[in-house]
Amino acid sequence: MPFVYVSMPFEGERRAELEAALPGGAFFYCPAPEIDDAALAKADVIIGNVPPARLALAQNLRFLQLNSAGSNEYAAPGVLPEGVALCNASGAYGLAISEHILAGVLTLMKKLHLYARNQQGHVWRSEGQVRSIAGSTFLIVGAGDIGGTLASKARALGAYTIGIRRTARALPETLDEGYTLDALDELLPRADVVVLSLPKTPETTHLMNAARLRRMKPDGILVNVGRGDCVVTDDLVAALQTGSIGGAVLDVTDPEPLLEGHPLWNCENLVLTPHVSGFYHLPATLYNIQSIAIRNLAAWGRGEALENAVDFSTGYRKLPG
């Protein structure tokens, strides 16, 4: 009887669906911070994210279904026992995070952050000309599920979309142009909005530094919803303080959480949120993750191919074919 430890929320009908996916399974529900060593040691299957350092205890583990799209920490050598099937939740977050990005970009373009400040100060004043997404160019660095969903919405609003993806392959209809990361420097000067939706890898750490920020348009907007250390924070602070870029939308920071007194708090033309664009804040996101877990648990029990299987050599979801 497989022991299935579930750390993410499943209630009511959704819990019944999960348990029906593996008849005969023994299911144990407990938030990850509260799980004890004995339960981890028993687990044949884990549904949800457990701190990678604790997985050394899970020597019976055969299948780990993450609730996150990012999986590189779990794919690192030695984190999981040999032969464990690892799947992520790619495809679940596109709706929530793409809308969060558009909300942040429109806040800056329409100067809503300035009007919110004026409202707090009881100031009735025009802040002048605004900008439009229509006719703008979005450079989406990491055009997977989240980036692709964003591209579709941005195009619907009249934007031109350029995507950077890990490998060169057929261009999806959501993108007007597609490249790999080696083209970033030549593409930055073309973009009105640069969106970073990237996992943490050696190639993405400190990707946006002072030199690359200088390549952006003076009124360009930088968005980061991937990993905080994709951007050199001090370089971004300097760019915002000197006005060498038009603004930034950050849902992730380095450090995170952002320390009290950090200069980012007081930067102008910055929309700052505390890593909330994803997770379960939009109920549809949790539903999507649950659905992936249910389908994959059933497939695992039948010995079938798994959705969102992770390639341990890259830390990314395996590409089709």
Side-chain angles (χ1 to χ4, degrees), residues 84-124:
V84 173
L86 174 64
C87 297
N88 64 25
S90 182
Y93 291 92
L95 174 63
I97 298 181
S98 65
E99 289 186 346
H100 186 99
I101 292 167
L102 288 176
V105 170
L106 283 168
T107 293
L108 292 179
M109 285 188 166
K110 304 304 180 184
K111 299 183 177 179
L112 299 183
H113 60 305
L114 300 183
Y115 289 112
R117 184 180 64 189
N118 290 350
Q119 180 181 351
Q120 293 299 314
H122 302 180
V123 175
W124 187 271

Side-chain angles (χ1 to χ4, degrees), residues 6 95 103 194 277 279 314:
V6 184
L95 174 63
V194 177
S277 64
F279 196 56
T314 65

